[in-house]
Amino acid sequence: MREKHWYDYLWIFSSVYLILGFFNILFAWIGLICFFAPLAISIIGGSKAYCNRYCGRGQLFSLLGGRLGLSRRKDIPNWMKSKGFRYGFLIFFFIMFFSMLWNTYLVFQGAGELKQIVKLLWTIKLPWHWAYPVSVTPWVAQFSFGFYSVMLTSTVLGMITMVFFKPRSWCVYCPMGTMTQLICKAKSKKER
């Protein structure tokens, strides 16, 4: 059995993040760590160390699907591993992400109203008004609702693929993993 390190417990961070966002949507801002850390590690270090070592979500899926046995442990279909699917999902994910940023911008400009909802799977609108207990600048709250939607959706997609396939099947098509892989490839070509 290998020695445990501090980063082996980052699944707790992912779990606590999702729970805190359920009670106070402003905690969604903490999720930006999970957005910028993989990019920084791949740009600076030229590796996918974040995905392989520090991703709390991947660890959570390993725990639930592996140790707790909630996974069928089947291979993920080849089409989900394909470049076309992974890059297509990355593009789709970015469209949804920039749509969320656009809605935040509209609220910032006063051209849109604050929507106290979380969109699950980009379509299912869940009322989330109880999670907005304090009054802050509306655009700050709008970003929180939007970003938490992105994080919750990606977690739900990861859970679904974890159940039907291997525990970390999400990692195969994760947009952050695809981006860091592209950065690492570009960095290695540049260094040649």
Side-chain angles (χ1 to χ4, degrees), residues 13-159:
F13 173 80
S14 287
S15 303
V16 169
Y17 170 79
L18 290 170
I19 292 166
L20 289 175
F22 186 81
F23 293 104
N24 187 329
I25 199 65
L26 298 178
F27 282 109
W29 282 83
I30 296 171
L32 288 173
I33 295 168
C34 302
F35 192 81
F36 289 114
L39 297 176
I41 289 171
S42 62
I43 290 168
I44 295 166
S47 75
K48 289 189 58 152
Y50 182 86
C51 296
N52 298 330
R53 186 176 292 163
Y54 305 114
C55 180
R57 182 178 297 161
Q59 290 176 7
L60 181 61
F61 296 151
S62 288
L63 175 71
L64 295 174
R67 285 193 20 213
L68 298 181
L70 300 178
S71 171
R72 292 177 56 207
R73 293 184 173 92
K74 303 280 186 194
D75 283 336
I76 194 165
N78 286 335
W79 63 268
M80 290 180 89
K81 297 178 190 176
S82 71
K83 283 185 181 180
F85 179 77
R86 289 184 301 117
Y87 295 154
F89 188 72
L90 175 64
I91 291 166
F92 174 75
F93 197 83
F94 264 112
I95 290 169
M96 295 297 110
F97 184 76
F98 286 118
S99 171
M100 180 267 300
L101 290 178
W102 177 251
N103 288 330
T104 300
Y105 174 75
L106 290 176
V107 172
F108 175 76
Q109 289 295 319
E113 290 184 18
L114 172 64
K115 296 174 190 83
Q116 295 182 40
I117 57 168
V118 167
K119 282 188 179 178
L120 183 60
L121 302 172
W122 299 287
T123 55
I124 303 166
K125 294 180 181 180
L126 304 173
W128 219 261
H129 55 279
W130 70 82
Y132 184 48
V134 294
S135 184
V136 294
T137 306
W139 74 267
V140 171
Q142 186 62 59
F143 179 86
S144 299
F145 283 106
F147 197 73
Y148 189 79
S149 297
V150 168
M151 296 296 278
L152 184 62
T153 291
S154 56
T155 302
V156 167
L157 288 173
M159 293 273 196

Side-chain angles (χ1 to χ4, degrees), residues 46 181-192:
Q181 185 178 36
L182 289 171
I183 292 167
C184 292
K185 282 182 180 178
K187 196 167 173 72
S188 70
K189 282 182 184 177
K190 187 178 178 184
E191 290 172 356
R192 286 183 195 162

